Amino acid sequence: MNTPARTSRRRPALAAVLAAVLVSSGCGTLVSQAGGTVTLKLVAADYGDSEATSSSHYWDELVRRFESADPSIRVSVEVVDWNDIDNRVADLIAKGDTPDLVQTGGFADQVAAGRLYPVGDVLTIDTQANLIDAFAKAGQVVGSQYGIPFAASTRAFFYNKEIFAEAGITEPPVTWEDLRKDAAQIHGRVPGVTPYALPLGPEEAQAESMMWTMSGGGGLSDSAGNYSIDSRQNRATFGWLRTNLVDAHLTYPDPGSVDRKTAFADFAAGRVAMLNGHPSLMQKANAAGLEYGTAPIPRKNAQDKVGTLGVADWMMAFKANGHRAQIKKFLSFVYQKENTLKFDEIYNLLPVTQDTRDEMTASGMREDLKSFLATLPSASFYPVGDPSWEKVSAMIKKGIGGAVRDGGDQVLAALQKSAAQAAAEAHH
């Protein structure tokens, strides 16, 4: 069941409303103006899990300070549940009520529809330069940036210190072979524990797949942006997982049926010794009183330099209402360090701007995020700039769990064929 959307709207003062003149702009959108005042509409995803933690509180306070400093611009904010936001934005566009800004999980479909300003039109040079380069590049479509990174997470390797101690393991694994040996040692000495959680179920199989293929010298796409699901390196990676973890009973019996949510819950409950996770797993582990550690994700060969998986949520600026100058002024405020730092701290997210990362790193207040902050500049991303990615991601979620079972090579070949077809259709 989808959680009902939670909304927070800011309105101009009554006098401004009475004086407003509604003028047609863009694709039939009505824009409120009074005495030179422009109202921007922002639709933002809700990162909270209750009314008390709703992102509406963050945006209300930020907008209040912005409007106090610049009374010529009003900002109306609608905060919508993650389950509903894409449909909400689509409905607004269909009704001719296109927002000026949307903050959500993707952007490629709006680029393909020609609705967005390029980043250079709506960010100051200073703000652009402050974006962590890896995230800025991930927002590009065919060499031009449209997606503005807003918040991020990367992945790290988590391990249960108590289980490691009971199994006689003194440090986290560096290579796949280290991981295999540790998993076998845990299996033999700590009964009732799953040594490594391999969640390849439909919730987030694309993440676990990308982490493993990257650490094996491959990936879900190549440097040119073409899908490479069925590469030689990926076949070797999934073959290693099948032989060394699945068939050896060192992970779940059927990884394709296990979601990330289950793996995280099992780790927090002490039923899993090792897994790949993001910062939110720390909250679950801390709440459970678990003794755990984090480390870089193990790689096939110790000498390989492998970045981690980075995931970003995005801000988009729409052209429909012609508010480029006002959007630019508001985003300049949104991306100031005090604002980005506050949001990241509230929701335990990672920064997308260099000055915020420097602050988090230098302050020493977030030692728990050290492993994550260190990998931000070298993070690699899903091909989110490809308009076919949403479709291909759904295919991977549904089917790639079969790649660690008998006939896994055929699973990769079928996914590659479907992904290539989806890409061809999206680019026509």
Side-chain angles (χ1 to χ4, degrees):
M1 179 184 295
N2 286 343
T3 303
R6 294 184 289 274
T7 64
S8 170
R9 298 177 185 271
R10 296 187 58 85
R11 295 178 175 85
L14 179 60
V17 174
L18 293 174
V21 178
L22 296 178
V23 294
S24 179
S25 174
C27 302
T29 302
L30 293 179
V31 182
S32 175
Q33 295 182 315
T37 298
V38 169
T39 298
L40 299 178
K41 178 167 184 175
L42 164 65
V43 179
D46 196 346
Y47 288 74
D49 57 10
S50 67
E51 184 59 39
T53 61
S54 172
S55 302
S56 62
H57 303 299
Y58 170 83
W59 287 111
D60 283 348
E61 194 273 337
L62 181 143
V63 167
R64 179 187 58 75
R65 288 187 289 111
F66 173 75
E67 291 180 348
S68 294
D70 193 336
S72 68
I73 303 173
R74 299 295 184 192
V75 184
S76 170
V77 183
E78 181 179 357
V79 174
V80 184
D81 187 271
W82 275 104
N83 292 325
D84 306 319
I85 188 168
D86 290 342
N87 288 335
R88 174 60 176 159
V89 172
D91 288 345
L92 288 170
I93 292 172
K95 292 189 299 185
D97 190 18
T98 303
D100 296 284
L101 292 161
V102 172
Q103 186 276 301
T104 184
F107 58 88
D109 56 338
Q110 304 297 349
V111 177
R115 298 188 178 112
L116 302 185
Y117 284 114
V119 166
D121 284 359
V122 290
L123 290 187
T124 65
I125 292 174
D126 288 346
T127 304
Q128 289 183 72
N130 193 33
L131 295 175
I132 294 173
D133 191 51
F135 290 87
K137 287 181 178 177
Q140 293 181 356
V141 176
V142 196
S144 297
Q145 186 184 350
Y146 292 89
I148 308 169
F150 179 74
S153 71
T154 59
R155 301 299 196 262
F157 180 80
F158 284 71
Y159 60 99
N160 183 311
K161 290 184 175 181
E162 292 182 6
I163 293 175
F164 267 44
E166 191 173 345
I169 303 168
T170 58
E171 57 187 14
V174 173
T175 66
W176 290 1
E177 180 58 16
D178 295 338
L179 187 149
R180 184 198 65 77
K181 288 179 179 178
D182 290 347
Q185 199 161 316
I186 291 166
H187 183 67
R189 298 185 182 181
V190 191
V193 168
T194 299
Y196 180 84
L198 183 67
L200 292 175
E203 181 190 359
E204 208 190 29
Q206 82 285 6
E208 189 74 12
S209 298
M210 187 160 167
M211 284 182 275
W212 275 98
T213 55
M214 285 171 56
S215 64
L220 300 181
S221 61
D222 60 25
S223 58
N226 301 309
Y227 292 111
S228 56
I229 299 168
D230 191 31
S231 68
R232 174 181 55 81
Q233 295 93 332
N234 291 355
R235 286 195 175 205
T237 293
F238 284 102
W240 188 93
L241 289 169
R242 179 169 59 250
T243 301
N244 293 279
L245 294 184
V246 181
D247 292 349
H249 308 292
L250 300 178
T251 187
Y252 296 114
D254 180 16
S257 67
V258 179
D259 283 338
R260 180 195 65 184
K261 182 178 180 179
T262 299
F264 279 18
D266 285 348
F267 182 77
R271 295 189 293 265
V272 158
M274 302 178 282
L275 79 170
N276 296 327
H278 52 61
S280 73
L281 181 54
M282 295 191 302
Q283 293 175 310
K284 293 181 181 295
N286 290 334
L290 196 73
E291 288 291 323
Y292 67 93
T294 61
I297 292 172
R299 49 202 183 274
K300 186 175 184 179
N301 302 305
Q303 67 272 19
D304 293 345
K305 292 186 180 296
V306 179
T308 188
L309 169 64
V311 178
D313 297 328
W314 304 91
M315 183 77 76
M316 295 174 280
F318 286 75
K319 298 186 292 186
N321 305 319
H323 292 156
R324 185 186 66 81
Q326 291 83 6
I327 290 171
K328 189 172 188 176
K329 188 170 288 189
F330 179 62
L331 289 181
S332 182
F333 185 78
V334 168
Y335 282 87
Q336 288 179 10
K337 183 174 67 173
E338 66 172 303
N339 296 324
T340 57
L341 184 62
K342 182 176 181 180
F343 191 87
D344 294 338
E345 289 285 347
I346 291 172
Y347 296 107
N348 209 37
L349 293 165
L350 298 180
V352 297
T353 53
Q354 189 60 52
D355 59 358
T356 305
R357 176 178 177 266
D358 291 344
E359 178 74 16
M360 281 189 172
T361 303
S363 68
M365 294 174 61
R366 297 311 307 266
E367 282 296 312
D368 55 339
L369 291 177
K370 187 175 180 180
S371 294
F372 298 95
L373 291 168
T375 59
L376 277 176
S378 61
S380 296
F381 298 83
Y382 305 128
V384 290
D386 192 311
S388 67
W389 170 242
E390 288 294 325
K391 190 173 184 179
V392 173
S393 177
M395 295 174 186
I396 292 171
K397 291 177 183 180
K398 183 178 180 180
I400 207 160
V404 295
R405 306 192 68 81
D406 291 341
D409 287 355
Q410 286 69 40
V411 170
L412 294 177
L415 284 170
Q416 177 68 37
K417 182 178 180 181
S418 297
Q421 182 178 348
E425 291 171 354
H427 289 264
H428 275 304

